[in-house]
Amino acid sequence: MAHRVTGVLIFFFLFVHVLDTALVRVSPEAYDKVVATYKTPIVALLEYGLVAAILFHALNGLRVIAVDFWIKGARYQKQMLWAVVAVWVVLMLGAIYPVLGHAARELFGS
């Protein structure tokens, strides 16, 4: 279920991204306003959520491939899921500063 939800969230992000990028051709001033909102701390949290969704979807996709194409995949799918979650947590901890560092400096100063 989480794989499907993250897939839908990523699709929604890509749809919005195409729309806001296309805005530059319609109204550069409106595009600049939209891009300015992307520099807020709230959007930084949303970006962190996007990173979380993409990482989980990618890692779980590799697990699904292993389950489908590895002879013993179905037998070890639960262990592989926990491995995916563990790797995802480690990568998300590593992504805190690069993704949220700017937002923390905005809120709390340098």
Side-chain angles (χ1 to χ4, degrees), residues 81-101:
L81 176 61
W82 285 111
V84 162
V85 170
V87 170
W88 178 78
V89 167
V90 168
L91 291 174
M92 288 308 298
L93 289 172
I96 288 174
Y97 182 75
V99 178
L100 296 177

Side-chain angles (χ1 to χ4, degrees), residues 8-24 31 34-35 37-38 43 46 50:
V8 169
L9 291 173
I10 294 165
F11 175 78
F12 177 71
F13 163 76
L14 290 173
F15 180 72
V16 170
H17 180 63
V18 167
L19 288 178
D20 72 4
T21 304
L23 189 60
V24 75
Y31 174 78
V34 169
V35 170
T37 64
Y38 290 163
V43 174
L46 292 173
L50 176 65

Side-chain angles (χ1 to χ4, degrees), residues 18-88:
V18 167
L19 288 178
D20 72 4
T21 304
L23 189 60
V24 75
R25 306 272 285 152
V26 176
S27 171
E29 297 83 19
Y31 174 78
D32 290 339
K33 287 180 185 177
V34 169
V35 170
T37 64
Y38 290 163
K39 297 176 183 172
T40 64
I42 292 172
V43 174
L45 286 173
L46 292 173
E47 285 176 347
Y48 190 71
L50 176 65
V51 169
I54 290 171
L55 276 176
F56 180 81
H57 192 78
L59 293 170
N60 194 55
L62 293 174
R63 183 189 71 86
V64 169
I65 290 169
V67 168
D68 286 346
F69 292 106
W70 182 33
I71 293 171
K72 297 180 182 179
R75 185 180 312 155
Y76 294 110
Q77 71 176 339
K78 193 175 271 189
Q79 291 90 338
M80 288 189 292
L81 176 61
W82 285 111
V84 162
V85 170
V87 170
W88 178 78

